[in-house]
Amino acid sequence: MKTQVLYVLVSGLDDVFWEQTYLSMRSLLKHNPDASIVLLTDDKTNESLKGVRANICSLIEKKIVVDLNDTYSNKYKSRVLKTNMRNYVDGDFLYVDSDTIILSDLSEIDSVDSDLSAVF
């Protein structure tokens, strides 16, 4: 699978978003072992990736960390990253939400024509 798979993670120790993302990534790799995973996250979530939470780093090929204002709520930080992901990630990617469990091979995404000039 040539297309990057992008996850956005904003998580604290008091939520389940890390766990959901980890399980989604594991399911992706079970059915797409050659998938290249990119993690887009904020600086505070990145600092929290210690202990068992650091296991997610073994599943990703690239991590993009964005410094965001500490006064923003995690919900707002997540929205900022998701609505600006194109500004942070180069090349083609397939965004997968953290609560998605992958059940099959996704490699057909590589054959999708990404030239949208005919549409617009």
Side-chain angles (χ1 to χ4, degrees):
M1 187 170 165
K2 294 184 290 183
T3 304
Q4 302 175 94
V5 179
L6 174 66
Y7 286 89
V8 173
L9 176 62
V10 176
S11 177
L13 299 177
D14 58 347
D15 61 50
V16 297
F17 299 116
W18 175 89
E19 290 86 347
Q20 289 177 331
T21 306
Y22 183 78
L23 288 174
S24 181
M25 288 179 177
R26 293 293 301 233
S27 70
L28 171 70
L29 292 171
K30 178 180 179 179
H31 299 286
N32 304 271
D34 62 338
S36 172
I37 299 176
V38 177
L39 179 65
L40 177 60
T41 190
D42 67 292
D43 53 320
K44 294 302 177 202
T45 299
N46 186 53
E47 290 172 13
S48 78
L49 299 180
K50 299 174 183 166
V52 71
R53 292 169 62 92
N55 289 339
I56 205 167
C57 296
S58 68
L59 304 179
I60 64 174
E61 188 166 310
K62 181 178 181 181
K63 180 171 44 170
I64 301 168
V65 180
V66 179
D67 291 334
L68 294 176
N69 190 319
D70 289 342
T71 63
Y72 295 165
S73 69
N74 279 358
K75 182 178 179 180
Y76 186 74
K77 288 179 183 181
S78 179
R79 296 299 168 256
V80 168
L81 293 178
K82 288 177 181 177
T83 58
N84 288 283
M85 61 180 75
R86 176 42 67 204
N87 297 322
Y88 300 120
V89 182
D90 294 326
D92 292 336
F93 62 84
L94 171 65
Y95 167 72
V96 175
D97 201 48
S98 295
D99 62 355
T100 303
I101 298 298
I102 307 300
L103 300 175
S104 65
D105 180 13
L106 301 178
S107 61
E108 286 185 32
I109 192 76
D110 292 336
S111 63
V112 172
D113 184 7
S114 62
D115 180 15
L116 297 177
S117 61
V119 176
F120 298 103

